[in-house]
Amino acid sequence: MLTPPRTVVRRDGGLYALERALQRRGFRHVAGADEAGRGACAGPLVAAAAILPEGRRGEVDELADSKLLTPAARERVHDEVVARALAYAVVVIPAEEVDARGLHVCNLAAMRRALASLTTRPEYVLTDGFGVDGLDVPGLAVWKGDRVAACVAAASVLAKVTRDRIMVELDGRFPGYGFAEHKGYITAEHSAALRALGPCREHRFSYVNVAAVSGRDGRPPRARRPAGADAASPEPAAGLPGLGPGAFAGRPDEPMGHCGPSGGTVGVALGEQPRPPASVGEDVVMEGGVR
């Protein structure tokens, strides 16, 4: 039996090299998946998946890891990805679900459901950092995938922009915490606001810094959320801040193929103007990296 030739992807091949190599081997529809908000102590966890077209049509100007783009550049790239993608989907997991089920469980379930919600079936899946089980197609976990694979970078931008828009809306509903600036990540300003105001319902009470100021730091991690914050069920998708009427938001234990009220994948349409450009890499520190 003849062994098929090895596929070699050069390190200097650029952002599209890995997908092009897979497409040459017959995997035409390569999906990327990524998330935003793992390191935040407030706000939802957002996961996204995207399939870019083959060839030049799938090349998006300025596309890069979302953490390396300014807010204005992310908005431009987001709109280009939405316009060019063969399929894309975004899943929003509320803070109370992160508390109830745990961050990693929610993260895997959200990416799995985003991939399952794509209207074009992926033939191969690339994920950022760690693998996602339960998929019925081959896949590969890529270290720093949002800097290596275009489809993962596209998913990272979709997730980041969606989450940032939600946090800007939450800043108006829960003033004083500075959500519009730090997006729920742990900064000196956010920590000071937590000490002064205490946590709001959008904080993650299973995080040590939030539990410490909630007066419930002697309770087990999954039990730290006040009863009042859990009493209300998650808001319906159409009413979530920062998302259009076709948005998909739900619990990690919902059926994998479930989509939003429109029956399609997620479209984010706020009609808001991008924030003034900030320095490149503003989110690297917030996400736990080095500027």
Side-chain angles (χ1 to χ4, degrees):
M1 179 181 295
L2 294 176
T3 302
R6 292 179 61 202
T7 298
V8 178
V9 181
R10 295 176 57 88
R11 289 182 179 272
D12 59 355
L15 194 61
Y16 296 87
L18 182 52
E19 281 163 85
R20 299 292 183 259
L22 288 167
Q23 288 161 353
R24 288 195 299 271
R25 297 304 299 269
F27 300 104
R28 292 186 57 204
H29 299 148
V30 181
D34 201 3
E35 50 70 33
R38 276 183 65 93
C41 67
L45 177 71
V46 179
I51 300 176
L52 297 175
E54 297 178 80
R56 293 293 297 274
R57 183 165 164 261
E59 295 181 7
V60 178
D61 290 342
E62 300 182 274
L63 180 61
D65 173 8
S66 63
K67 296 185 290 295
L68 302 181
L69 298 172
T70 66
R74 279 197 297 264
E75 292 280 349
R76 292 193 297 268
V77 172
H78 171 276
D79 292 346
E80 277 293 299
V81 169
V82 168
R84 290 174 179 263
L86 289 178
Y88 71 96
V90 179
V91 170
V92 180
I93 303 297
E96 57 261 39
E97 292 301 326
V98 175
D99 282 341
R101 297 175 62 83
L103 176 65
H104 191 60
V105 170
C106 288
N107 196 4
L108 290 176
M111 288 203 290
R112 189 182 302 117
R113 215 165 57 247
L115 288 162
S117 299
L118 293 169
T119 55
T120 298
R121 178 181 171 81
E123 298 171 357
Y124 201 98
V125 170
L126 299 174
T127 54
D128 182 28
F130 49 86
V132 177
D133 59 5
L135 305 176
D136 57 356
V137 296
L140 178 68
V142 183
W143 177 248
K144 293 192 178 296
D146 43 11
R147 302 187 188 187
V148 175
C151 58
V152 179
S156 79
V157 170
L158 292 175
K160 176 64 176 169
V161 170
T162 300
R163 189 177 187 281
D164 281 0
R165 290 174 173 181
I166 291 173
M167 296 308 296
V168 169
E169 290 284 339
L170 290 178
D171 186 65
R173 292 172 52 192
F174 301 95
Y177 294 100
F179 288 155
E181 297 303 318
H182 54 66
K183 306 301 189 297
Y185 288 94
I186 303 169
T187 64
E189 293 78 9
H190 191 183
S191 297
L194 265 174
R195 290 192 297 270
L197 303 174
C200 71
R201 64 166 295 167
E202 292 298 329
H203 280 95
R204 300 177 187 175
F205 287 76
S206 55
Y207 280 46
V208 171
N209 65 317
V210 179
V213 297
S214 70
R216 299 168 63 86
D217 52 346
R219 301 287 297 278
R222 301 281 174 83
R224 285 178 183 146
R225 194 169 188 84
D230 281 333
S233 60
E235 298 177 70
L240 272 173
L243 296 180
F248 175 29
R251 300 171 59 92
D253 53 353
E254 287 179 349
M256 290 297 112
H258 182 71
C259 292
S262 65
T265 50
V266 177
V268 178
L270 268 188
E272 66 177 19
Q273 294 299 316
R275 292 168 53 209
S279 59
V280 174
E282 66 160 4
D283 298 308
V284 173
V285 173
M286 294 183 185
E287 300 265 3
V290 179
R291 190 184 297 274

